[in-house]
Amino acid sequence: PMGFGGPALSRAQMLIRPCPGRDPRPALGVGPACRICPRPACPARHEPSILGPL
């Protein structure tokens, strides 16, 4: 609203919040984004990593 020098307008997406109470399931490891994630065997990968073959 204040032009290019003003504050950036942003909105949080896909927030991760703790479960209420105790969850017996093991923690799920997640990466920041497929393009920069170092986990080569991730079953959820949908883009190749820019980090090269690991």
Side-chain angles (χ1 to χ4, degrees):
M2 296 181 195
F4 292 114
L9 298 177
S10 63
R11 181 173 79 174
Q13 300 287 330
M14 297 173 53
L15 291 177
I16 298 174
R17 300 182 320 172
C19 272
R22 192 98 171 131
D23 191 342
R25 296 176 292 181
L28 175 65
V30 296
C34 288
R35 298 292 286 167
I36 58 172
C37 181
R39 298 176 59 202
C42 180
R45 182 176 295 283
H46 66 272
E47 291 182 304
S49 175
I50 60 172
L51 301 176
L54 301 173

mmCIF file of all heavy atoms in Angstrom:
data_model
loop_
_atom_site.group_PDB
_atom_site.id
_atom_site.type_symbol
_atom_site.label_atom_id
_atom_site.label_comp_id
_atom_site.label_asym_id
_atom_site.label_seq_id
_atom_site.Cartn_x
_atom_site.Cartn_y
_atom_site.Cartn_z
ATOM 1 N N PRO A 1 0.796 -1.221 0.000
ATOM 2 C CA PRO A 1 0.000 0.000 0.000
ATOM 3 C C PRO A 1 0.828 1.270 0.000
ATOM 4 O O PRO A 1 0.352 2.319 -0.316
ATOM 5 C CB PRO A 1 -0.813 -0.123 1.266
ATOM 6 C CG PRO A 1 -0.041 -0.997 2.157
ATOM 7 C CD PRO A 1 0.696 -1.929 1.243
ATOM 8 N N MET A 2 2.107 1.182 0.361
ATOM 9 C CA MET A 2 2.961 2.363 0.438
ATOM 10 C C MET A 2 3.989 2.379 -0.675
ATOM 11 O O MET A 2 5.021 3.010 -0.568
ATOM 12 C CB MET A 2 3.667 2.409 1.786
ATOM 13 C CG MET A 2 2.739 2.556 2.950
ATOM 14 S SD MET A 2 3.715 2.625 4.455
ATOM 15 C CE MET A 2 2.460 2.343 5.656
ATOM 16 N N GLY A 3 3.775 1.635 -1.750
ATOM 17 C CA GLY A 3 4.722 1.605 -2.852
ATOM 18 C C GLY A 3 5.820 0.577 -2.637
ATOM 19 O O GLY A 3 5.763 -0.254 -1.739
ATOM 20 N N PHE A 4 6.853 0.655 -3.457
ATOM 21 C CA PHE A 4 7.929 -0.332 -3.404
ATOM 22 C C PHE A 4 8.747 -0.253 -2.119
ATOM 23 O O PHE A 4 9.335 -1.230 -1.696
ATOM 24 C CB PHE A 4 8.853 -0.182 -4.604
ATOM 25 C CG PHE A 4 8.186 -0.567 -5.893
ATOM 26 C CD1 PHE A 4 7.938 0.374 -6.865
ATOM 27 C CD2 PHE A 4 7.793 -1.872 -6.115
ATOM 28 C CE1 PHE A 4 7.318 0.022 -8.055
ATOM 29 C CE2 PHE A 4 7.166 -2.240 -7.289
ATOM 30 C CZ PHE A 4 6.931 -1.295 -8.263
ATOM 31 N N GLY A 5 8.816 0.900 -1.486
ATOM 32 C CA GLY A 5 9.605 1.048 -0.267
ATOM 33 C C GLY A 5 8.843 0.720 1.003
ATOM 34 O O GLY A 5 9.409 0.721 2.086
ATOM 35 N N GLY A 6 7.557 0.421 0.886
ATOM 36 C CA GLY A 6 6.727 0.139 2.050
ATOM 37 C C GLY A 6 6.912 -1.272 2.576
ATOM 38 O O GLY A 6 7.667 -2.070 2.019
ATOM 39 N N PRO A 7 6.229 -1.599 3.657
ATOM 40 C CA PRO A 7 6.342 -2.938 4.221
ATOM 41 C C PRO A 7 5.740 -3.984 3.279
ATOM 42 O O PRO A 7 4.783 -3.717 2.555
ATOM 43 C CB PRO A 7 5.542 -2.856 5.518
ATOM 44 C CG PRO A 7 4.616 -1.713 5.326
ATOM 45 C CD PRO A 7 5.317 -0.754 4.399
ATOM 46 N N ALA A 8 6.328 -5.164 3.276
ATOM 47 C CA ALA A 8 5.834 -6.246 2.424
ATOM 48 C C ALA A 8 4.516 -6.787 2.966
ATOM 49 O O ALA A 8 4.360 -6.953 4.174
ATOM 50 C CB ALA A 8 6.859 -7.358 2.368
ATOM 51 N N LEU A 9 3.591 -7.012 2.066
ATOM 52 C CA LEU A 9 2.332 -7.622 2.463
ATOM 53 C C LEU A 9 2.507 -9.123 2.362
ATOM 54 O O LEU A 9 2.922 -9.650 1.328
ATOM 55 C CB LEU A 9 1.196 -7.172 1.534
ATOM 56 C CG LEU A 9 0.911 -5.680 1.523
ATOM 57 C CD1 LEU A 9 -0.180 -5.369 0.511
ATOM 58 C CD2 LEU A 9 0.498 -5.216 2.900
ATOM 59 N N SER A 10 2.229 -9.827 3.429
ATOM 60 C CA SER A 10 2.379 -11.278 3.407
ATOM 61 C C SER A 10 1.302 -11.922 4.257
ATOM 62 O O SER A 10 0.690 -11.282 5.102
ATOM 63 C CB SER A 10 3.768 -11.685 3.898
ATOM 64 O OG SER A 10 3.924 -11.294 5.242
ATOM 65 N N ARG A 11 1.123 -13.210 4.014
ATOM 66 C CA ARG A 11 0.140 -13.971 4.762
ATOM 67 C C ARG A 11 0.733 -15.354 5.002
ATOM 68 O O ARG A 11 1.315 -15.944 4.092
ATOM 69 C CB ARG A 11 -1.145 -14.075 3.944
ATOM 70 C CG ARG A 11 -2.243 -14.822 4.637
ATOM 71 C CD ARG A 11 -3.506 -14.741 3.843
ATOM 72 N NE ARG A 11 -3.429 -15.703 2.751
ATOM 73 C CZ ARG A 11 -4.421 -15.969 1.934
ATOM 74 N NH1 ARG A 11 -5.545 -15.319 2.042
ATOM 75 N NH2 ARG A 11 -4.294 -16.860 0.989
ATOM 76 N N ALA A 12 0.600 -15.860 6.201
ATOM 77 C CA ALA A 12 1.146 -17.176 6.520
ATOM 78 C C ALA A 12 0.335 -18.263 5.825
ATOM 79 O O ALA A 12 -0.879 -18.205 5.754
ATOM 80 C CB ALA A 12 1.125 -17.397 8.017
ATOM 81 N N GLN A 13 1.030 -19.249 5.292
ATOM 82 C CA GLN A 13 0.399 -20.386 4.639
ATOM 83 C C GLN A 13 0.871 -21.663 5.315
ATOM 84 O O GLN A 13 2.023 -21.779 5.691
ATOM 85 C CB GLN A 13 0.789 -20.441 3.154
ATOM 86 C CG GLN A 13 0.385 -19.234 2.364
ATOM 87 C CD GLN A 13 -1.110 -19.192 2.117
ATOM 88 O OE1 GLN A 13 -1.768 -20.202 2.027
ATOM 89 N NE2 GLN A 13 -1.645 -18.004 2.020
ATOM 90 N N MET A 14 0.007 -22.624 5.421
ATOM 91 C CA MET A 14 0.346 -23.950 5.924
ATOM 92 C C MET A 14 1.059 -23.882 7.278
ATOM 93 O O MET A 14 2.157 -24.411 7.449
ATOM 94 C CB MET A 14 1.191 -24.707 4.900
ATOM 95 C CG MET A 14 0.435 -24.954 3.621
ATOM 96 S SD MET A 14 1.389 -25.664 2.279
ATOM 97 C CE MET A 14 2.116 -27.090 3.010
ATOM 98 N N LEU A 15 0.447 -23.265 8.240
ATOM 99 C CA LEU A 15 1.040 -23.183 9.569
ATOM 100 C C LEU A 15 1.084 -24.564 10.210
ATOM 101 O O LEU A 15 0.182 -25.372 10.029
ATOM 102 C CB LEU A 15 0.226 -22.251 10.460
ATOM 103 C CG LEU A 15 0.269 -20.775 10.101
ATOM 104 C CD1 LEU A 15 -0.649 -19.995 11.020
ATOM 105 C CD2 LEU A 15 1.674 -20.249 10.229
ATOM 106 N N ILE A 16 2.124 -24.836 10.943
ATOM 107 C CA ILE A 16 2.246 -26.085 11.684
ATOM 108 C C ILE A 16 2.094 -25.747 13.154
ATOM 109 O O ILE A 16 2.834 -24.936 13.701
ATOM 110 C CB ILE A 16 3.613 -26.751 11.425
ATOM 111 C CG1 ILE A 16 3.731 -27.082 9.947
ATOM 112 C CG2 ILE A 16 3.777 -27.987 12.278
ATOM 113 C CD1 ILE A 16 5.077 -27.597 9.548
ATOM 114 N N ARG A 17 1.098 -26.362 13.751
ATOM 115 C CA ARG A 17 0.844 -26.114 15.163
ATOM 116 C C ARG A 17 0.967 -27.429 15.930
ATOM 117 O O ARG A 17 0.695 -28.497 15.380
ATOM 118 C CB ARG A 17 -0.548 -25.530 15.363
ATOM 119 C CG ARG A 17 -0.734 -24.222 14.623
ATOM 120 C CD ARG A 17 -2.078 -23.615 14.848
ATOM 121 N NE ARG A 17 -3.131 -24.631 14.846
ATOM 122 C CZ ARG A 17 -4.385 -24.387 15.171
ATOM 123 N NH1 ARG A 17 -4.751 -23.192 15.512
ATOM 124 N NH2 ARG A 17 -5.285 -25.341 15.148
ATOM 125 N N PRO A 18 1.347 -27.374 17.195
ATOM 126 C CA PRO A 18 1.459 -28.607 17.970
ATOM 127 C C PRO A 18 0.084 -29.238 18.203
ATOM 128 O O PRO A 18 -0.928 -28.545 18.275
ATOM 129 C CB PRO A 18 2.089 -28.156 19.284
ATOM 130 C CG PRO A 18 1.833 -26.702 19.365
ATOM 131 C CD PRO A 18 1.713 -26.193 17.959
ATOM 132 N N CYS A 19 0.075 -30.551 18.286
ATOM 133 C CA CYS A 19 -1.159 -31.278 18.581
ATOM 134 C C CYS A 19 -1.582 -30.993 20.016
ATOM 135 O O CYS A 19 -0.731 -30.939 20.897
ATOM 136 C CB CYS A 19 -0.925 -32.775 18.475
ATOM 137 S SG CYS A 19 -1.150 -33.462 16.888
ATOM 138 N N PRO A 20 -2.860 -30.878 20.242
ATOM 139 C CA PRO A 20 -3.295 -30.774 21.638
ATOM 140 C C PRO A 20 -3.142 -32.153 22.293
ATOM 141 O O PRO A 20 -3.505 -33.168 21.718
ATOM 142 C CB PRO A 20 -4.753 -30.359 21.538
ATOM 143 C CG PRO A 20 -5.180 -30.744 20.174
ATOM 144 C CD PRO A 20 -3.959 -30.746 19.309
ATOM 145 N N GLY A 21 -2.561 -32.196 23.450
ATOM 146 C CA GLY A 21 -2.371 -33.471 24.145
ATOM 147 C C GLY A 21 -1.157 -34.218 23.634
ATOM 148 O O GLY A 21 -0.334 -33.705 22.895
ATOM 149 N N ARG A 22 -1.066 -35.458 24.006
ATOM 150 C CA ARG A 22 0.091 -36.295 23.653
ATOM 151 C C ARG A 22 -0.251 -37.148 22.446
ATOM 152 O O ARG A 22 -1.244 -37.857 22.433
ATOM 153 C CB ARG A 22 0.406 -37.177 24.853
ATOM 154 C CG ARG A 22 1.685 -37.869 24.782
ATOM 155 C CD ARG A 22 2.705 -37.082 25.587
ATOM 156 N NE ARG A 22 3.922 -37.886 25.680
ATOM 157 C CZ ARG A 22 5.091 -37.419 25.413
ATOM 158 N NH1 ARG A 22 5.221 -36.171 25.094
ATOM 159 N NH2 ARG A 22 6.140 -38.183 25.489
ATOM 160 N N ASP A 23 0.558 -37.107 21.400
ATOM 161 C CA ASP A 23 0.330 -37.887 20.192
ATOM 162 C C ASP A 23 1.316 -39.049 20.183
ATOM 163 O O ASP A 23 2.531 -38.831 20.217
ATOM 164 C CB ASP A 23 0.536 -37.001 18.961
ATOM 165 C CG ASP A 23 0.057 -37.650 17.679
ATOM 166 O OD1 ASP A 23 -0.112 -38.887 17.658
ATOM 167 O OD2 ASP A 23 -0.143 -36.922 16.698
ATOM 168 N N PRO A 24 0.847 -40.289 20.110
ATOM 169 C CA PRO A 24 1.754 -41.439 20.164
ATOM 170 C C PRO A 24 2.535 -41.689 18.867
ATOM 171 O O PRO A 24 3.477 -42.465 18.859
ATOM 172 C CB PRO A 24 0.815 -42.609 20.454
ATOM 173 C CG PRO A 24 -0.489 -42.189 19.871
ATOM 174 C CD PRO A 24 -0.552 -40.691 20.063
ATOM 175 N N ARG A 25 2.151 -41.027 17.782
ATOM 176 C CA ARG A 25 2.842 -41.247 16.509
ATOM 177 C C ARG A 25 4.226 -40.623 16.527
ATOM 178 O O ARG A 25 4.438 -39.593 17.163
ATOM 179 C CB ARG A 25 2.033 -40.648 15.363
ATOM 180 C CG ARG A 25 0.683 -41.326 15.172
ATOM 181 C CD ARG A 25 -0.108 -40.637 14.110
ATOM 182 N NE ARG A 25 -0.474 -39.302 14.598
ATOM 183 C CZ ARG A 25 -1.186 -38.433 13.910
ATOM 184 N NH1 ARG A 25 -1.610 -38.730 12.704
ATOM 185 N NH2 ARG A 25 -1.477 -37.262 14.414
ATOM 186 N N PRO A 26 5.196 -41.232 15.812
ATOM 187 C CA PRO A 26 6.532 -40.629 15.750
ATOM 188 C C PRO A 26 6.492 -39.331 14.939
ATOM 189 O O PRO A 26 5.632 -39.143 14.082
ATOM 190 C CB PRO A 26 7.378 -41.687 15.039
ATOM 191 C CG PRO A 26 6.398 -42.519 14.289
ATOM 192 C CD PRO A 26 5.107 -42.479 15.063
ATOM 193 N N ALA A 27 7.438 -38.469 15.223
ATOM 194 C CA ALA A 27 7.512 -37.194 14.503
ATOM 195 C C ALA A 27 7.846 -37.450 13.038
ATOM 196 O O ALA A 27 8.623 -38.341 12.706
ATOM 197 C CB ALA A 27 8.562 -36.297 15.135
ATOM 198 N N LEU A 28 7.256 -36.674 12.158
ATOM 199 C CA LEU A 28 7.494 -36.776 10.725
ATOM 200 C C LEU A 28 8.517 -35.725 10.323
ATOM 201 O O LEU A 28 8.298 -34.532 10.536
ATOM 202 C CB LEU A 28 6.184 -36.562 9.965
ATOM 203 C CG LEU A 28 6.258 -36.527 8.447
ATOM 204 C CD1 LEU A 28 6.706 -37.885 7.913
ATOM 205 C CD2 LEU A 28 4.914 -36.160 7.871
ATOM 206 N N GLY A 29 9.628 -36.170 9.764
ATOM 207 C CA GLY A 29 10.656 -35.229 9.316
ATOM 208 C C GLY A 29 10.204 -34.498 8.070
ATOM 209 O O GLY A 29 9.707 -35.117 7.130
ATOM 210 N N VAL A 30 10.335 -33.203 8.056
ATOM 211 C CA VAL A 30 9.940 -32.402 6.901
ATOM 212 C C VAL A 30 11.089 -31.477 6.520
ATOM 213 O O VAL A 30 11.877 -31.076 7.366
ATOM 214 C CB VAL A 30 8.665 -31.568 7.160
ATOM 215 C CG1 VAL A 30 7.486 -32.467 7.400
ATOM 216 C CG2 VAL A 30 8.844 -30.635 8.318
ATOM 217 N N GLY A 31 11.183 -31.173 5.245
ATOM 218 C CA GLY A 31 12.195 -30.247 4.764
ATOM 219 C C GLY A 31 11.572 -28.898 4.464
ATOM 220 O O GLY A 31 10.351 -28.747 4.488
ATOM 221 N N PRO A 32 12.375 -27.899 4.157
ATOM 222 C CA PRO A 32 11.857 -26.559 3.894
ATOM 223 C C PRO A 32 11.089 -26.459 2.578
ATOM 224 O O PRO A 32 10.055 -25.827 2.508
ATOM 225 C CB PRO A 32 13.099 -25.688 3.876
ATOM 226 C CG PRO A 32 14.211 -26.620 3.547
ATOM 227 C CD PRO A 32 13.819 -27.970 4.077
ATOM 228 N N ALA A 33 11.573 -27.075 1.538
ATOM 229 C CA ALA A 33 10.937 -27.104 0.221
ATOM 230 C C ALA A 33 11.709 -28.114 -0.614
ATOM 231 O O ALA A 33 12.902 -28.307 -0.418
ATOM 232 C CB ALA A 33 10.973 -25.733 -0.449
ATOM 233 N N CYS A 34 11.058 -28.772 -1.539
ATOM 234 C CA CYS A 34 11.716 -29.825 -2.320
ATOM 235 C C CYS A 34 12.967 -29.325 -3.047
ATOM 236 O O CYS A 34 13.953 -30.053 -3.145
ATOM 237 C CB CYS A 34 10.732 -30.419 -3.327
ATOM 238 S SG CYS A 34 9.469 -31.445 -2.557
ATOM 239 N N ARG A 35 12.949 -28.128 -3.550
ATOM 240 C CA ARG A 35 14.091 -27.621 -4.331
ATOM 241 C C ARG A 35 15.352 -27.454 -3.497
ATOM 242 O O ARG A 35 16.450 -27.517 -4.030
ATOM 243 C CB ARG A 35 13.739 -26.285 -4.982
ATOM 244 C CG ARG A 35 12.597 -26.355 -5.960
ATOM 245 C CD ARG A 35 12.913 -27.119 -7.191
ATOM 246 N NE ARG A 35 13.780 -26.343 -8.058
ATOM 247 C CZ ARG A 35 14.418 -26.832 -9.091
ATOM 248 N NH1 ARG A 35 14.276 -28.087 -9.418
ATOM 249 N NH2 ARG A 35 15.186 -26.089 -9.812
ATOM 250 N N ILE A 36 15.226 -27.238 -2.185
ATOM 251 C CA ILE A 36 16.409 -27.033 -1.351
ATOM 252 C C ILE A 36 16.503 -28.046 -0.216
ATOM 253 O O ILE A 36 17.287 -27.882 0.701
ATOM 254 C CB ILE A 36 16.461 -25.600 -0.789
ATOM 255 C CG1 ILE A 36 15.205 -25.291 0.016
ATOM 256 C CG2 ILE A 36 16.662 -24.591 -1.897
ATOM 257 C CD1 ILE A 36 15.268 -23.961 0.752
ATOM 258 N N CYS A 37 15.742 -29.120 -0.281
ATOM 259 C CA CYS A 37 15.752 -30.135 0.778
ATOM 260 C C CYS A 37 16.870 -31.146 0.519
ATOM 261 O O CYS A 37 17.005 -31.656 -0.589
ATOM 262 C CB CYS A 37 14.405 -30.841 0.836
ATOM 263 S SG CYS A 37 14.321 -32.095 2.131
ATOM 264 N N PRO A 38 17.671 -31.461 1.538
ATOM 265 C CA PRO A 38 18.768 -32.401 1.353
ATOM 266 C C PRO A 38 18.365 -33.868 1.520
ATOM 267 O O PRO A 38 19.219 -34.738 1.426
ATOM 268 C CB PRO A 38 19.753 -31.985 2.454
ATOM 269 C CG PRO A 38 18.883 -31.475 3.541
ATOM 270 C CD PRO A 38 17.740 -30.791 2.838
ATOM 271 N N ARG A 39 17.091 -34.180 1.758
ATOM 272 C CA ARG A 39 16.660 -35.563 1.980
ATOM 273 C C ARG A 39 16.428 -36.256 0.636
ATOM 274 O O ARG A 39 15.386 -36.105 0.032
ATOM 275 C CB ARG A 39 15.377 -35.570 2.804
ATOM 276 C CG ARG A 39 15.559 -34.953 4.174
ATOM 277 C CD ARG A 39 14.273 -34.889 4.935
ATOM 278 N NE ARG A 39 13.742 -36.232 5.079
ATOM 279 C CZ ARG A 39 12.465 -36.500 5.305
ATOM 280 N NH1 ARG A 39 11.593 -35.539 5.403
ATOM 281 N NH2 ARG A 39 12.061 -37.736 5.419
ATOM 282 N N PRO A 40 17.377 -37.071 0.155
ATOM 283 C CA PRO A 40 17.234 -37.676 -1.180
ATOM 284 C C PRO A 40 16.146 -38.738 -1.271
ATOM 285 O O PRO A 40 15.566 -38.937 -2.323
ATOM 286 C CB PRO A 40 18.614 -38.270 -1.453
ATOM 287 C CG PRO A 40 19.185 -38.526 -0.105
ATOM 288 C CD PRO A 40 18.633 -37.449 0.793
ATOM 289 N N ALA A 41 15.852 -39.439 -0.191
ATOM 290 C CA ALA A 41 14.875 -40.534 -0.239
ATOM 291 C C ALA A 41 13.500 -40.119 0.277
ATOM 292 O O ALA A 41 12.732 -40.952 0.727
ATOM 293 C CB ALA A 41 15.403 -41.712 0.568
ATOM 294 N N CYS A 42 13.175 -38.872 0.212
ATOM 295 C CA CYS A 42 11.887 -38.392 0.717
ATOM 296 C C CYS A 42 10.753 -38.904 -0.177
ATOM 297 O O CYS A 42 10.768 -38.682 -1.387
ATOM 298 C CB CYS A 42 11.866 -36.872 0.743
ATOM 299 S SG CYS A 42 10.312 -36.200 1.358
ATOM 300 N N PRO A 43 9.765 -39.594 0.391
ATOM 301 C CA PRO A 43 8.670 -40.121 -0.419
ATOM 302 C C PRO A 43 7.731 -39.028 -0.939
ATOM 303 O O PRO A 43 6.963 -39.264 -1.859
ATOM 304 C CB PRO A 43 7.934 -41.067 0.535
ATOM 305 C CG PRO A 43 8.256 -40.567 1.897
ATOM 306 C CD PRO A 43 9.631 -39.970 1.804
ATOM 307 N N ALA A 44 7.807 -37.838 -0.380
ATOM 308 C CA ALA A 44 6.917 -36.750 -0.795
ATOM 309 C C ALA A 44 7.567 -35.811 -1.806
ATOM 310 O O ALA A 44 6.942 -34.838 -2.225
ATOM 311 C CB ALA A 44 6.462 -35.955 0.425
ATOM 312 N N ARG A 45 8.802 -36.083 -2.218
ATOM 313 C CA ARG A 45 9.497 -35.171 -3.138
ATOM 314 C C ARG A 45 8.728 -35.055 -4.445
ATOM 315 O O ARG A 45 8.353 -36.044 -5.048
ATOM 316 C CB ARG A 45 10.915 -35.660 -3.416
ATOM 317 C CG ARG A 45 11.686 -34.711 -4.342
ATOM 318 C CD ARG A 45 13.117 -35.124 -4.540
ATOM 319 N NE ARG A 45 13.896 -35.044 -3.323
ATOM 320 C CZ ARG A 45 14.364 -33.913 -2.807
ATOM 321 N NH1 ARG A 45 14.134 -32.774 -3.393
ATOM 322 N NH2 ARG A 45 15.068 -33.936 -1.700
ATOM 323 N N HIS A 46 8.489 -33.840 -4.890
ATOM 324 C CA HIS A 46 7.798 -33.631 -6.161
ATOM 325 C C HIS A 46 8.576 -32.732 -7.122
ATOM 326 O O HIS A 46 8.127 -32.434 -8.207
ATOM 327 C CB HIS A 46 6.375 -33.114 -5.938
ATOM 328 C CG HIS A 46 6.321 -31.747 -5.327
ATOM 329 N ND1 HIS A 46 6.337 -31.550 -3.979
ATOM 330 C CD2 HIS A 46 6.254 -30.536 -5.899
ATOM 331 C CE1 HIS A 46 6.281 -30.245 -3.733
ATOM 332 N NE2 HIS A 46 6.229 -29.621 -4.878
ATOM 333 N N GLU A 47 9.767 -32.298 -6.712
ATOM 334 C CA GLU A 47 10.657 -31.520 -7.572
ATOM 335 C C GLU A 47 12.078 -31.981 -7.313
ATOM 336 O O GLU A 47 12.411 -32.335 -6.177
ATOM 337 C CB GLU A 47 10.583 -30.032 -7.255
ATOM 338 C CG GLU A 47 9.287 -29.363 -7.626
ATOM 339 C CD GLU A 47 9.346 -27.873 -7.323
ATOM 340 O OE1 GLU A 47 9.614 -27.502 -6.177
ATOM 341 O OE2 GLU A 47 9.133 -27.103 -8.266
ATOM 342 N N PRO A 48 12.939 -31.963 -8.311
ATOM 343 C CA PRO A 48 14.332 -32.320 -8.064
ATOM 344 C C PRO A 48 15.028 -31.247 -7.226
ATOM 345 O O PRO A 48 14.674 -30.069 -7.291
ATOM 346 C CB PRO A 48 14.936 -32.419 -9.456
ATOM 347 C CG PRO A 48 14.050 -31.596 -10.319
ATOM 348 C CD PRO A 48 12.672 -31.660 -9.707
ATOM 349 N N SER A 49 15.999 -31.652 -6.460
ATOM 350 C CA SER A 49 16.739 -30.713 -5.629
ATOM 351 C C SER A 49 17.758 -29.946 -6.476
ATOM 352 O O SER A 49 18.371 -30.504 -7.385
ATOM 353 C CB SER A 49 17.468 -31.473 -4.527
ATOM 354 O OG SER A 49 18.289 -30.596 -3.783
ATOM 355 N N ILE A 50 17.967 -28.686 -6.162
ATOM 356 C CA ILE A 50 18.989 -27.902 -6.853
ATOM 357 C C ILE A 50 20.362 -28.129 -6.220
ATOM 358 O O ILE A 50 21.349 -27.622 -6.702
ATOM 359 C CB ILE A 50 18.654 -26.391 -6.838
ATOM 360 C CG1 ILE A 50 18.552 -25.864 -5.412
ATOM 361 C CG2 ILE A 50 17.389 -26.119 -7.622
ATOM 362 C CD1 ILE A 50 18.425 -24.359 -5.320
ATOM 363 N N LEU A 51 20.410 -28.916 -5.151
ATOM 364 C CA LEU A 51 21.663 -29.192 -4.464
ATOM 365 C C LEU A 51 22.481 -30.242 -5.200
ATOM 366 O O LEU A 51 23.609 -30.508 -4.811
ATOM 367 C CB LEU A 51 21.394 -29.644 -3.025
ATOM 368 C CG LEU A 51 20.625 -28.657 -2.164
ATOM 369 C CD1 LEU A 51 20.327 -29.258 -0.799
ATOM 370 C CD2 LEU A 51 21.374 -27.345 -2.037
ATOM 371 N N GLY A 52 21.925 -30.847 -6.229
ATOM 372 C CA GLY A 52 22.644 -31.860 -6.992
ATOM 373 C C GLY A 52 22.428 -33.241 -6.401
ATOM 374 O O GLY A 52 21.763 -33.409 -5.391
ATOM 375 N N PRO A 53 22.998 -34.249 -7.025
ATOM 376 C CA PRO A 53 22.831 -35.608 -6.493
ATOM 377 C C PRO A 53 23.517 -35.753 -5.144
ATOM 378 O O PRO A 53 24.646 -35.306 -4.968
ATOM 379 C CB PRO A 53 23.482 -36.495 -7.546
ATOM 380 C CG PRO A 53 24.271 -35.607 -8.424
ATOM 381 C CD PRO A 53 23.783 -34.208 -8.234
ATOM 382 N N LEU A 54 22.809 -36.337 -4.229
ATOM 383 C CA LEU A 54 23.364 -36.495 -2.872
ATOM 384 C C LEU A 54 23.706 -37.929 -2.596
ATOM 385 O O LEU A 54 23.187 -38.830 -3.081
ATOM 386 C CB LEU A 54 22.363 -35.992 -1.825
ATOM 387 C CG LEU A 54 21.959 -34.521 -1.988
ATOM 388 C CD1 LEU A 54 20.846 -34.188 -1.014
ATOM 389 C CD2 LEU A 54 23.136 -33.639 -1.729
#
